[in-house]
């Protein structure tokens, strides 16, 4: 009986691993139709007594202003092009910061690859199981997708407001234009709200957001991005 249970668990684990690899390979070529986060937000709205739709419009890498790629890298992951998905240097820096500033808001070290893995395949949360799965999918998409596809998926599924996903939907909502025509400031405004897109709004920047926008714009010219071809 115990052997059967162990065999069953082993088969389930192997099946899940194969499914995760197959799904990751599929998403290298086919755009994710929706994400777990999108579905969760809809149900959260239902429990709160309000309807939260899913506003999204996929755009390919070359249909999006390069300003937005530079902005999100500047805001979220300056070493995006040089690390392997997990920025160990940033992790060490965050660990030292949190040890020195105990009792204050903890600093994270989540890369764009890690955020893409979380947004595309998982749910938001801080438990060890989810973090472990996030690390697994991070390694997987770095190996299978590459930097350009990771960045393309990230900017198309990232949450940028209540029910708003991806830079095309956000550009339309906040600036009445396509993501292809975003200026540096508009791109920086979108990137500035990423820590908390359900509270902050790109078209109504607070003083804090304006300081983030200035910081992001100051970095944008110096960060590298994947080439079109």
């Amino acid at each position: 009986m115990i052997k059967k249970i162990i065999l069953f668990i082993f088969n389930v684990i192997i099946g899940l691993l194969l499914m995760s690899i197959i799904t990751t390979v599929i998403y290298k070529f086919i755009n994710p139709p929706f994400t777990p986060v999108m579905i969760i937000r809809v149900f959260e709205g239902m429990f709160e007594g309000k309807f939260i739709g899913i506003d999204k419009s996929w755009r390919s890498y070359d249909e999006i202003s390069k300003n937005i790629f530079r902005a999100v890298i500047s805001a979220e992951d300056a070493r995006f092009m040089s690390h392997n998905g997990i920025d160990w240097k940033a992790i060490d820096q965050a660990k030292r910061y949190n040890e020195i500033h105990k009792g204050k808001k903890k600093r994270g070290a989540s890369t764009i690859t890690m955020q893409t893995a979380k947004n595309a395949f998982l749910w938001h949360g801080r438990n060890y199981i989810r973090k472990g799965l996030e690390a697994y999918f991070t390694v997987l998409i770095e190996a299978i997708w590459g930097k350009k596809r990771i960045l393309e998926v990230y900017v198309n599924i990232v949450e940028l407001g209540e029910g708003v996903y991806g830079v095309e939907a956000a550009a339309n909502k906040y600036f009445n234009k396509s993501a292809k025509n975003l200026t540096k400031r508009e791109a920086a405004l979108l990137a500035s709200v990423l820590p908390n897109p359900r509270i902050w709004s790109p078209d109504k920047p607070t003083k804090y957001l304006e300081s983030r926008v200035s910081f992001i714009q100051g970095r944008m010219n110096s960060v590298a991005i994947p080439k079109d071809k």
Side-chain angles (χ1 to χ4, degrees), residues 110 114 122 125-136:
S110 181
M114 293 167 74
L122 304 169
R126 293 184 179 275
N127 62 71
Y128 289 112
I129 293 175
R130 197 205 62 82
K131 293 300 289 185
L133 289 170
E134 180 182 296
Y136 167 72

Side-chain angles (χ1 to χ4, degrees), residues 16-35:
L16 290 173
L17 285 172
L18 288 173
M19 188 181 299
S20 67
I21 294 170
I22 291 169
T23 304
T24 303
V25 171
I26 290 172
Y27 279 178
K28 178 179 174 65
F29 305 102
I30 298 175
N31 303 327
F34 55 85
T35 68

Side-chain angles (χ1 to χ4, degrees), residues 80-125:
F80 172 71
M81 292 298 294
S82 60
H83 63 62
N84 62 356
I86 299 173
D87 190 342
W88 297 106
K89 184 176 180 180
I91 290 173
D92 288 339
Q93 290 172 342
K95 185 179 179 180
R96 287 197 298 269
Y97 176 90
N98 294 333
E99 287 174 351
I100 294 170
H101 300 86
K102 289 182 179 179
K104 294 185 178 180
K105 184 178 180 181
K106 290 187 176 182
R107 177 180 292 179
S110 181
T111 65
I112 283 176
T113 309
M114 293 167 74
Q115 292 179 47
T116 306
K118 174 183 66 179
N119 290 337
F121 299 103
L122 304 169
W123 62 96
H124 290 184

Side-chain angles (χ1 to χ4, degrees), residues 14-200:
I14 294 299
L16 290 173
L17 285 172
L18 288 173
M19 188 181 299
S20 67
I21 294 170
I22 291 169
T23 304
T24 303
V25 171
I26 290 172
Y27 279 178
K28 178 179 174 65
F29 305 102
I30 298 175
N31 303 327
F34 55 85
T35 68
V37 174
M38 294 177 189
I39 304 303
I40 289 169
R41 293 299 190 221
V42 171
F43 281 99
E44 284 179 346
M46 291 172 60
F47 286 121
E48 293 170 3
K50 59 183 178 181
F51 174 75
I52 298 176
I54 299 176
D55 182 9
K56 66 181 182 68
S57 296
W58 191 279
R59 291 295 180 268
S60 65
Y61 188 86
D62 59 359
E63 292 177 315
I64 298 170
S65 169
K66 301 305 177 286
N67 287 326
I68 194 64
F69 299 129
R70 293 190 175 93
V72 297
I73 290 173
S74 298
E76 298 291 291
D77 187 4
R79 288 187 287 270
F80 172 71
M81 292 298 294
S82 60
H83 63 62
N84 62 356
I86 299 173
D87 190 342
W88 297 106
K89 184 176 180 180
I91 290 173
D92 288 339
Q93 290 172 342
K95 185 179 179 180
R96 287 197 298 269
Y97 176 90
N98 294 333
E99 287 174 351
I100 294 170
H101 300 86
K102 289 182 179 179
K104 294 185 178 180
K105 184 178 180 181
K106 290 187 176 182
R107 177 180 292 179
S110 181
T111 65
I112 283 176
T113 309
M114 293 167 74
Q115 292 179 47
T116 306
K118 174 183 66 179
N119 290 337
F121 299 103
L122 304 169
W123 62 96
H124 290 184
R126 293 184 179 275
N127 62 71
Y128 289 112
I129 293 175
R130 197 205 62 82
K131 293 300 289 185
L133 289 170
E134 180 182 296
Y136 167 72
F137 277 108
T138 293
V139 173
L140 210 57
I141 65 177
E142 276 280 344
I144 296 174
W145 290 2
K147 295 291 186 182
K148 181 178 175 180
R149 180 59 173 170
I150 289 169
L151 201 56
E152 179 183 40
V153 174
Y154 175 74
V155 301
N156 272 289
I157 65 175
V158 67
E159 190 175 23
L160 285 165
E162 191 167 69
V164 181
Y165 302 93
V167 295
E168 179 67 18
N172 275 278
K173 177 178 176 63
Y174 300 119
F175 306 120
N176 196 30
K177 60 169 62 176
S178 171
K180 192 170 187 177
N181 300 317
L182 287 169
T183 65
K184 285 185 178 180
R185 174 170 168 79
E186 290 165 345
L189 280 165
L190 289 177
S192 72
V193 306
L194 287 175
N196 207 331
R198 301 177 75 194
I199 291 180
W200 293 326

